[in-house]
Amino acid sequence: MPASERIPPGSLTVPDRLGLLARGELTVRGQVREASNAVLLCSVAYEGREAECVYKPVAGERPLWDFPDGTLARREVAAYEVSEATGWGLVPPTVLRDGPYGPGMVQLWIEGDPSASLLALVDGEDPGDGWKAVGLAQVAEDRTALLVHADDVRLRRLAVLDAVINNGDRKGGHLLPAADGRLYAIDHGVTFHVDDKLRTLLWGWAGEPLPEEALEVLAALEASLAPGARLATRLAELLTAAEVTAVRERVAALRASGRHPEPSGRWPAIPWPPV
């Protein structure tokens, strides 16, 4: 059998990457031990091509009090499907498939650019140009600092996506700015709940009018979520009927308000730990 050629993620089309992830042979190379659920680093090889990926088996999911057991992998795939429907490509290619430890989510590995700075702690009340204030963070027993994120169109798009998918756990470590200038976001298992669960570090635009681009994307999403439309049909394979209905309602509410959502006040708006 000829050796596989390792393929840089950006050199394949989306269908090629999905085919590689869905049909390739998975080989476990390691484990992310600090993750709350089982996260396995793998290589995937198919028809002479090879790439790195992450495999999260359903069997390795820790039970959550507010989400049904064994559903996180499907929610990760659903987040990818919604991201693709926006046209923003914020979530790496993600599939649901069988693997060495049973069915689970498999996602293309994205190497983040360590030199990119999207989050910061600053003294004072004014974060300065190019930054949006999130809130105060306790950084020592005797000092607090302002938690800020970059005033970046890529993050603003992600804030809209998170509002649509009802992301309950948008942390700084889930942001992967790539060397090619693209931004990717990972870890979408805690999403699509029927109740408002939005918790995020991207509150900098809270209450501000949505950009025209976002309103156009939301209009397209609303059409694609109509019963029988492509995205609605795909989400129905991954989520409950009530959860799909809740997605429609969130999109409609965002369009009606024309503004970025604000914290509900029913629970902490920022996930902990924030990174």
Side-chain angles (χ1 to χ4, degrees):
M1 180 177 177
S4 297
E5 176 188 3
R6 186 167 292 276
I7 305 296
S11 65
L12 296 176
T13 65
V14 171
D16 285 341
R17 284 179 281 180
L18 291 174
L20 175 61
L21 293 173
R23 302 185 184 92
E25 180 180 358
L26 283 176
T27 302
V28 177
R29 303 296 187 187
Q31 182 178 4
V32 180
R33 296 194 176 276
E34 61 269 24
S36 57
N37 297 298
V39 180
L40 304 177
L41 304 179
C42 300
S43 62
V44 58
Y46 181 66
E47 294 186 340
R49 292 173 171 173
E50 183 178 352
E52 295 177 330
C53 63
V54 171
Y55 165 46
K56 298 182 182 180
V58 173
E61 295 179 5
R62 288 173 50 188
L64 299 173
W65 70 270
D66 52 350
F67 282 81
D69 292 350
T71 67
L72 304 191
R74 291 179 177 271
R75 297 174 193 279
E76 295 247 28
V77 178
Y80 168 72
E81 295 289 350
V82 175
S83 169
E84 287 299 287
T86 66
W88 289 332
L90 292 167
V91 179
T94 311
V95 301
L96 192 69
R97 57 161 290 177
D98 200 18
Y101 298 100
M105 178 278 280
V106 175
Q107 185 175 80
L108 190 69
W109 174 266
I110 300 295
E111 193 68 47
D113 181 359
S115 66
S117 179
L118 297 175
L119 300 167
L121 288 169
V122 298
D123 292 318
E125 298 181 357
D126 182 5
D129 291 341
W131 296 93
K132 303 288 284 188
V134 177
L136 290 174
Q138 187 76 32
V139 295
E141 290 185 2
D142 59 348
R143 187 171 72 89
T144 59
L146 197 63
L147 181 63
V148 300
H149 64 70
D151 188 3
D152 187 308
V153 65
R154 301 170 302 172
L155 290 179
R156 192 163 191 175
R157 290 170 175 171
L158 183 59
V160 175
L161 176 65
D162 281 342
V164 170
I165 67 176
N166 198 15
N167 193 347
D169 194 34
R170 174 59 71 214
K171 297 177 179 178
H174 300 165
L175 307 176
L176 297 177
D180 63 2
R182 293 190 60 177
L183 174 70
Y184 293 93
I186 59 172
D187 285 349
H188 295 103
V190 188
T191 51
F192 295 102
H193 202 284
V194 296
D195 297 330
D196 179 10
K197 295 281 187 177
L198 186 60
R199 294 198 308 161
T200 176
L201 286 178
L202 303 180
W203 287 117
W205 300 281
E208 293 186 12
L210 289 165
E212 187 62 33
E213 176 199 42
L215 292 172
E216 292 173 359
V217 165
L218 290 170
L221 275 182
E222 191 166 53
S224 66
L225 286 165
R230 192 208 69 80
L231 181 59
T233 300
R234 178 60 178 139
L235 292 184
E237 299 169 353
L238 301 165
L239 306 171
T240 67
E243 288 166 343
V244 177
T245 297
V247 179
R248 292 192 187 102
E249 292 173 348
R250 286 192 295 271
V251 170
L254 285 167
R255 292 193 68 199
S257 72
R259 293 182 176 275
H260 285 274
E262 298 182 82
S264 67
R266 291 193 290 273
W267 43 69
I270 298 175
W272 187 263
V275 295

